[in-house]
Short mmCIF file of all heavy atoms in Angstrom, two decimals:
data_model
loop_
_atom_site.label_atom_id
_atom_site.label_comp_id
_atom_site.label_asym_id
_atom_site.label_seq_id
_atom_site.Cartn_x
_atom_site.Cartn_y
_atom_site.Cartn_z
N ALA A 40 105.70 42.01 85.88
CA ALA A 40 104.72 42.11 84.86
C ALA A 40 104.05 43.49 84.93
O ALA A 40 103.85 44.12 85.97
CB ALA A 40 103.60 41.07 85.07
N THR A 41 103.71 44.02 83.67
CA THR A 41 102.90 45.23 83.61
C THR A 41 101.88 45.02 82.53
O THR A 41 102.06 44.26 81.63
CB THR A 41 103.87 46.43 83.14
OG1 THR A 41 104.47 46.15 81.92
CG2 THR A 41 104.87 46.79 84.24
N GLU A 42 100.74 45.68 82.78
CA GLU A 42 99.57 45.49 81.81
C GLU A 42 99.25 46.82 81.09
O GLU A 42 99.69 47.88 81.46
CB GLU A 42 98.37 44.98 82.63
CG GLU A 42 97.37 46.10 83.00
CD GLU A 42 98.00 47.01 84.07
OE1 GLU A 42 98.95 46.59 84.80
OE2 GLU A 42 97.52 48.16 84.30
N GLY A 43 98.61 46.61 79.92
CA GLY A 43 98.23 47.79 79.17
C GLY A 43 97.33 47.31 78.02
O GLY A 43 96.84 46.19 78.04
N ILE A 44 97.25 48.19 77.03
CA ILE A 44 96.39 47.82 75.87
C ILE A 44 97.25 48.01 74.56
O ILE A 44 98.33 48.60 74.60
CB ILE A 44 95.14 48.64 75.71
CG1 ILE A 44 95.51 50.16 75.59
CG2 ILE A 44 94.21 48.48 76.98
CD1 ILE A 44 94.34 51.01 75.20
N VAL A 45 96.74 47.49 73.52
CA VAL A 45 97.35 47.74 72.22
C VAL A 45 96.93 49.14 71.76
O VAL A 45 95.75 49.45 71.72
CB VAL A 45 96.88 46.72 71.17
CG1 VAL A 45 97.43 47.04 69.82
CG2 VAL A 45 97.31 45.24 71.56
N SER A 46 97.99 50.03 71.56
CA SER A 46 97.72 51.37 71.26
C SER A 46 97.66 51.59 69.68
O SER A 46 96.83 52.41 69.20
CB SER A 46 98.78 52.31 71.82
OG SER A 46 98.78 52.13 73.22
N ARG A 47 98.54 50.92 69.03
CA ARG A 47 98.59 51.02 67.60
C ARG A 47 99.19 49.63 66.99
O ARG A 47 99.87 48.98 67.75
CB ARG A 47 99.52 52.17 67.11
CG ARG A 47 98.90 53.50 67.09
CD ARG A 47 99.72 54.48 66.20
NE ARG A 47 101.10 54.63 66.71
CZ ARG A 47 102.07 55.23 66.00
NH1 ARG A 47 101.86 55.70 64.77
NH2 ARG A 47 103.28 55.34 66.48
N GLU A 48 98.95 49.46 65.73
CA GLU A 48 99.53 48.35 65.08
C GLU A 48 100.29 48.76 63.80
O GLU A 48 100.02 49.84 63.26
CB GLU A 48 98.43 47.36 64.65
CG GLU A 48 97.63 46.80 65.85
CD GLU A 48 96.53 45.81 65.41
OE1 GLU A 48 95.44 46.33 65.09
OE2 GLU A 48 96.76 44.58 65.32
N GLY A 49 101.24 47.85 63.38
CA GLY A 49 101.91 48.15 62.16
C GLY A 49 102.75 49.46 62.11
O GLY A 49 102.93 50.18 61.14
N VAL A 50 103.42 49.63 63.30
CA VAL A 50 104.23 50.86 63.51
C VAL A 50 105.65 50.65 62.95
O VAL A 50 106.19 49.61 63.14
CB VAL A 50 104.27 51.25 64.98
CG1 VAL A 50 105.12 52.52 65.21
CG2 VAL A 50 102.86 51.48 65.52
N SER A 51 106.21 51.70 62.35
CA SER A 51 107.64 51.69 62.01
C SER A 51 108.35 52.63 62.90
O SER A 51 107.87 53.79 63.26
CB SER A 51 107.77 52.13 60.46
OG SER A 51 107.15 51.22 59.64
N LEU A 52 109.57 52.23 63.31
CA LEU A 52 110.36 53.01 64.33
C LEU A 52 111.77 53.04 63.95
O LEU A 52 112.41 52.00 63.79
CB LEU A 52 110.13 52.42 65.69
CG LEU A 52 110.77 53.11 66.90
CD1 LEU A 52 110.16 54.55 67.09
CD2 LEU A 52 110.67 52.28 68.13
N ASP A 53 112.35 54.22 63.93
CA ASP A 53 113.81 54.41 63.71
C ASP A 53 114.48 54.17 65.08
O ASP A 53 114.30 55.02 65.98
CB ASP A 53 114.14 55.78 63.13
CG ASP A 53 113.57 55.94 61.71
OD1 ASP A 53 113.49 54.94 60.97
OD2 ASP A 53 113.34 57.08 61.33
N VAL A 54 115.16 53.09 65.25
CA VAL A 54 115.86 52.78 66.51
C VAL A 54 117.32 53.15 66.46
O VAL A 54 117.98 53.24 67.55
CB VAL A 54 115.68 51.31 66.84
CG1 VAL A 54 114.19 50.99 67.12
CG2 VAL A 54 116.24 50.38 65.75
N ASP A 55 117.91 53.37 65.31
CA ASP A 55 119.27 53.73 65.20
C ASP A 55 119.53 54.39 63.87
O ASP A 55 118.66 54.27 62.97
CB ASP A 55 120.18 52.50 65.39
CG ASP A 55 121.58 52.94 65.85
OD1 ASP A 55 121.87 54.14 65.89
OD2 ASP A 55 122.39 52.00 66.18
N GLN A 56 120.63 54.99 63.68
CA GLN A 56 120.95 55.61 62.38
C GLN A 56 120.98 54.52 61.31
O GLN A 56 121.74 53.62 61.38
CB GLN A 56 122.25 56.37 62.43
CG GLN A 56 122.57 57.20 61.19
CD GLN A 56 123.84 58.02 61.31
OE1 GLN A 56 124.47 57.96 62.33
NE2 GLN A 56 124.15 58.76 60.30
N GLY A 57 120.07 54.68 60.31
CA GLY A 57 120.03 53.71 59.28
C GLY A 57 119.35 52.40 59.55
O GLY A 57 119.31 51.51 58.80
N GLU A 58 118.77 52.30 60.81
CA GLU A 58 118.12 51.09 61.23
C GLU A 58 116.68 51.35 61.57
O GLU A 58 116.41 52.18 62.43
CB GLU A 58 118.84 50.39 62.42
CG GLU A 58 118.21 49.06 62.78
CD GLU A 58 118.97 48.50 64.02
OE1 GLU A 58 119.97 48.96 64.43
OE2 GLU A 58 118.52 47.47 64.52
N THR A 59 115.74 50.63 60.92
CA THR A 59 114.34 50.85 61.21
C THR A 59 113.69 49.50 61.40
O THR A 59 113.92 48.54 60.74
CB THR A 59 113.63 51.53 60.03
OG1 THR A 59 114.28 52.79 59.72
CG2 THR A 59 112.16 51.78 60.31
N LEU A 60 112.81 49.46 62.46
CA LEU A 60 112.05 48.23 62.76
C LEU A 60 110.64 48.45 62.21
O LEU A 60 110.02 49.54 62.39
CB LEU A 60 111.96 47.96 64.27
CG LEU A 60 113.26 47.56 64.90
CD1 LEU A 60 113.17 47.38 66.37
CD2 LEU A 60 113.96 46.34 64.30
N TYR A 61 110.08 47.43 61.53
CA TYR A 61 108.75 47.49 60.92
C TYR A 61 107.77 46.56 61.67
O TYR A 61 108.17 45.66 62.33
CB TYR A 61 108.92 47.18 59.42
CG TYR A 61 109.74 48.09 58.62
CD1 TYR A 61 111.10 47.68 58.35
CD2 TYR A 61 109.37 49.27 58.15
CE1 TYR A 61 111.96 48.50 57.65
CE2 TYR A 61 110.24 50.11 57.44
CZ TYR A 61 111.45 49.70 57.21
OH TYR A 61 112.37 50.53 56.49
N ASP A 62 106.48 46.87 61.36
CA ASP A 62 105.42 45.98 61.86
C ASP A 62 105.52 45.83 63.39
O ASP A 62 105.41 44.68 63.91
CB ASP A 62 105.44 44.65 61.14
CG ASP A 62 104.15 43.91 61.36
OD1 ASP A 62 103.12 44.55 61.56
OD2 ASP A 62 104.16 42.62 61.31
N LEU A 63 105.62 46.98 64.13
CA LEU A 63 105.68 46.86 65.58
C LEU A 63 104.28 47.04 66.12
O LEU A 63 103.48 47.69 65.53
CB LEU A 63 106.59 47.99 66.08
CG LEU A 63 108.06 47.92 65.64
CD1 LEU A 63 108.87 49.14 66.20
CD2 LEU A 63 108.73 46.62 66.03
N ILE A 64 104.15 46.53 67.34
CA ILE A 64 102.91 46.68 68.17
C ILE A 64 103.23 47.79 69.19
O ILE A 64 104.15 47.65 70.03
CB ILE A 64 102.47 45.41 68.83
CG1 ILE A 64 102.21 44.28 67.80
CG2 ILE A 64 101.33 45.71 69.76
CD1 ILE A 64 102.08 42.95 68.40
N GLU A 65 102.46 48.83 69.22
CA GLU A 65 102.61 49.86 70.19
C GLU A 65 101.73 49.53 71.39
O GLU A 65 100.54 49.24 71.19
CB GLU A 65 102.43 51.26 69.68
CG GLU A 65 102.59 52.37 70.69
CD GLU A 65 102.25 53.74 70.07
OE1 GLU A 65 102.87 54.09 69.08
OE2 GLU A 65 101.32 54.37 70.58
N THR A 66 102.22 49.62 72.62
CA THR A 66 101.43 49.27 73.75
C THR A 66 101.60 50.30 74.89
O THR A 66 102.62 50.97 74.97
CB THR A 66 101.75 47.90 74.32
OG1 THR A 66 101.02 47.62 75.49
CG2 THR A 66 103.23 47.79 74.60
N SER A 67 100.58 50.43 75.72
CA SER A 67 100.65 51.32 76.81
C SER A 67 101.24 50.65 78.07
O SER A 67 101.38 51.26 79.15
CB SER A 67 99.24 51.86 77.22
OG SER A 67 98.37 50.80 77.54
N ALA A 68 101.52 49.37 77.99
CA ALA A 68 102.19 48.61 79.12
C ALA A 68 103.52 49.24 79.36
O ALA A 68 104.25 49.38 78.47
CB ALA A 68 102.30 47.09 78.75
N ALA A 69 103.78 49.48 80.63
CA ALA A 69 105.03 50.07 81.02
C ALA A 69 106.25 49.15 80.70
O ALA A 69 106.18 48.03 81.07
CB ALA A 69 105.08 50.40 82.49
N ILE A 70 107.23 49.66 79.95
CA ILE A 70 108.34 48.86 79.57
C ILE A 70 109.59 49.65 79.95
O ILE A 70 109.71 50.81 79.62
CB ILE A 70 108.34 48.53 78.06
CG1 ILE A 70 107.20 47.64 77.72
CG2 ILE A 70 109.65 47.94 77.63
CD1 ILE A 70 106.93 47.46 76.26
N ASN A 71 110.50 48.99 80.65
CA ASN A 71 111.72 49.64 81.18
C ASN A 71 112.97 48.91 80.68
O ASN A 71 112.84 47.76 80.20
CB ASN A 71 111.65 49.66 82.72
CG ASN A 71 110.57 50.54 83.24
OD1 ASN A 71 110.65 51.74 83.17
ND2 ASN A 71 109.50 49.96 83.66
N PRO A 72 114.18 49.51 80.84
CA PRO A 72 115.36 48.78 80.45
C PRO A 72 115.46 47.47 81.19
O PRO A 72 115.18 47.36 82.41
CB PRO A 72 116.46 49.75 80.97
CG PRO A 72 115.85 51.05 80.88
CD PRO A 72 114.40 50.92 81.25
N GLY A 73 115.75 46.42 80.45
CA GLY A 73 115.81 45.07 81.06
C GLY A 73 114.61 44.27 80.55
O GLY A 73 114.64 43.01 80.52
N ASN A 74 113.51 44.91 80.06
CA ASN A 74 112.38 44.26 79.53
C ASN A 74 112.70 43.71 78.12
O ASN A 74 112.06 42.80 77.63
CB ASN A 74 111.19 45.17 79.43
CG ASN A 74 110.36 45.18 80.66
OD1 ASN A 74 110.29 46.20 81.37
ND2 ASN A 74 109.59 44.06 80.86
N SER A 75 113.70 44.30 77.51
CA SER A 75 113.94 43.94 76.10
C SER A 75 114.16 42.42 75.94
O SER A 75 114.92 41.83 76.57
CB SER A 75 115.21 44.67 75.63
OG SER A 75 114.94 46.06 75.50
N GLY A 76 113.43 41.87 74.94
CA GLY A 76 113.51 40.42 74.62
C GLY A 76 112.49 39.63 75.31
O GLY A 76 112.25 38.49 74.95
N GLY A 77 111.71 40.22 76.26
CA GLY A 77 110.63 39.51 76.99
C GLY A 77 109.42 39.44 76.11
O GLY A 77 109.26 40.12 75.05
N PRO A 78 108.50 38.63 76.52
CA PRO A 78 107.24 38.46 75.65
C PRO A 78 106.20 39.50 75.97
O PRO A 78 106.06 39.93 77.12
CB PRO A 78 106.77 37.05 76.09
CG PRO A 78 107.19 36.94 77.50
CD PRO A 78 108.49 37.66 77.62
N LEU A 79 105.42 39.88 74.99
CA LEU A 79 104.20 40.62 75.17
C LEU A 79 103.08 39.54 74.77
O LEU A 79 103.04 38.97 73.70
CB LEU A 79 104.17 41.77 74.15
CG LEU A 79 102.88 42.69 74.28
CD1 LEU A 79 103.00 43.51 75.62
CD2 LEU A 79 102.79 43.61 73.09
N VAL A 80 102.24 39.31 75.76
CA VAL A 80 101.17 38.22 75.61
C VAL A 80 99.79 38.74 75.67
O VAL A 80 99.51 39.81 76.23
CB VAL A 80 101.42 37.17 76.72
CG1 VAL A 80 102.83 36.57 76.64
CG2 VAL A 80 101.09 37.76 78.12
N ASN A 81 98.91 38.02 75.02
CA ASN A 81 97.43 38.30 75.16
C ASN A 81 96.91 37.67 76.39
O ASN A 81 97.64 37.01 77.20
CB ASN A 81 96.75 37.83 73.90
CG ASN A 81 96.92 36.36 73.63
OD1 ASN A 81 97.20 35.60 74.52
ND2 ASN A 81 96.74 35.98 72.30
N LEU A 82 95.60 37.80 76.57
CA LEU A 82 94.96 37.26 77.78
C LEU A 82 94.91 35.77 77.88
O LEU A 82 94.55 35.15 78.87
CB LEU A 82 93.59 37.87 78.01
CG LEU A 82 93.58 39.39 78.28
CD1 LEU A 82 92.16 39.91 78.58
CD2 LEU A 82 94.57 39.75 79.43
N ALA A 83 95.19 35.06 76.76
CA ALA A 83 95.29 33.66 76.70
C ALA A 83 96.70 33.15 77.06
O ALA A 83 96.99 31.93 77.10
CB ALA A 83 94.92 33.09 75.33
N GLY A 84 97.61 34.14 77.33
CA GLY A 84 98.98 33.75 77.63
C GLY A 84 99.81 33.40 76.43
O GLY A 84 100.93 32.78 76.61
N GLU A 85 99.33 33.78 75.27
CA GLU A 85 100.08 33.47 74.06
C GLU A 85 100.98 34.70 73.63
O GLU A 85 100.56 35.85 73.75
CB GLU A 85 99.10 33.17 72.94
CG GLU A 85 98.18 32.03 73.18
CD GLU A 85 97.05 31.99 72.20
OE1 GLU A 85 96.69 33.06 71.62
OE2 GLU A 85 96.48 30.85 72.01
N VAL A 86 102.16 34.45 73.15
CA VAL A 86 103.07 35.48 72.76
C VAL A 86 102.59 36.08 71.42
O VAL A 86 102.43 35.33 70.48
CB VAL A 86 104.48 34.94 72.64
CG1 VAL A 86 105.44 36.11 72.25
CG2 VAL A 86 104.99 34.29 73.93
N ILE A 87 102.37 37.40 71.46
CA ILE A 87 102.00 38.04 70.30
C ILE A 87 102.99 39.13 69.86
O ILE A 87 102.82 39.86 68.85
CB ILE A 87 100.59 38.66 70.32
CG1 ILE A 87 100.34 39.39 71.69
CG2 ILE A 87 99.51 37.57 70.17
CD1 ILE A 87 100.81 40.77 71.71
#
């Protein structure tokens, strides 16, 4: 587990040529390869 804060909301990100992800949450929590697909939760333990 790693902790952080919500840095921005509603972010759009080009992840590949011709592919863009919308409505992303940007966080300062450290995320490394292998984290992909895991949950980002609030302090109530709910997936956000």
